[in-house]
Amino acid sequence: MPDDNLSAILYKTGDLRLENRPIPEPQDDQVQIRMAAVGICGSDVHYLVKGSIGDFVVKAPMILGHEAAGVVSKVGKNVTNLKVGDRVAIEPGVPCRYCDFCKTGRYNLCKTIFFCATPPDDGNLSRYYCHAADFCFKLPDHVSLEEGALLEPLSVGVQACRRAGVTLGSTVLICGAGPIGLVNLFVAKSMGAAVVIMTDIAENRLTKAKELGANFTVQIQPGQTAEDTAKVIEETLGQSPDITIECSGAESSIKLAILATRSGGVVTLVGLGPPEVKVPIVNAATREVDIRGVFRYANCYDAALALVASGKADVKKLITHNYKLEETLEAFETSRTGAGGAIKVMIHC
């Protein structure tokens, strides 16, 4: 068992370093975890490249990583739900548990939530990490630690599809076939969507989407207008989708989401791009297209784990690249550039 705590620390834009930090000791309600698998999320890359996401700005050195799983190595004195040796997935957001949002079950909106690798909170791309025991989920023996790490993006899909109202027989358009688009494909299908059509600019991602169960794919061509793409989608389906889940954050794609969705339908915005975008809001209003936001997730990890454990969501197929913790800088470069058709890059701690 390693006795160092090698950690991936972002100092500022473009400055990611591997350094040793002290091994943390668990508080009374926490467990210490020997980290095993940490996926690189688009937000990790965004902090590295841009130094901020919206109002969240990197002002002090911060450990990256929040798609994570590991093995319990110590338990705090109040912990009864876990023991040393348990393999756990880590839900990275720990709310206050006291405010109205927490009390009503929408704890993702808690104003004082601790969230791994969101400034100023450290993440868990390190050898050892301590976390609230009630936000750690014990993995069944047949679920791997890599799959446990991928419960985090899968939970985003659960939240998005719940917010969108996906149900038996739904026709769903998913804009963007990156990791978040693909987990939404898994969840939409498992919730009863009859048809899922996916768009992207990259052919390799659409090939992966077909492999994972998308009924149709549409590759966005350079210079193609949102109006034209909406027509292609309608012609392909023979109708307009009831629900659109927008996972790219690109202004053109949000516009497409609104124009392509049938009147009376729902657009759910998952991807985060610029803070302000120009969209056809009057078109949405006059056709009663509901626009709903998604921020992380709440009470979704149990469902995500059930999807993986039952085989309904084969998230292992998202992993295209594997690196050791010592190779973190190389791993981030692969994720940033998409080299070698990268979809999900996994770091083994």
Side-chain angles (χ1 to χ4, degrees), residues 74-155:
K74 281 186 184 177
V75 297
K77 69 176 187 183
N78 295 341
V79 175
T80 56
N81 63 318
L82 295 169
K83 64 184 187 305
V84 171
D86 283 345
R87 299 154 63 254
V88 295
I90 300 166
E91 180 173 347
V94 180
C96 77
R97 303 175 178 81
Y98 296 106
C99 69
D100 283 346
F101 294 118
C102 287
K103 297 272 194 187
T104 54
R106 300 188 73 178
Y107 61 80
N108 56 317
L109 303 178
C110 171
K111 286 188 169 70
T112 58
I113 193 168
F114 168 93
F115 201 93
C116 291
T118 296
D121 301 330
D122 278 328
N124 44 32
L125 184 47
S126 51
R127 296 257 200 252
Y128 290 96
Y129 169 74
C130 291
H131 199 70
D134 59 323
F135 280 83
C136 294
F137 292 77
K138 188 175 175 180
L139 299 175
D141 291 344
H142 69 285
V143 175
S144 70
L145 287 157
E146 290 76 21
E147 289 170 308
L150 292 174
L151 294 188
E152 199 280 336
L154 189 60
S155 292

Side-chain angles (χ1 to χ4, degrees), residues 33 62 74 78 80 124 140 174 252 289 337:
I33 299 161
M62 175 182 80
K74 281 186 184 177
N78 295 341
T80 56
N124 44 32
I174 298 175
S252 58
V289 173
T337 60

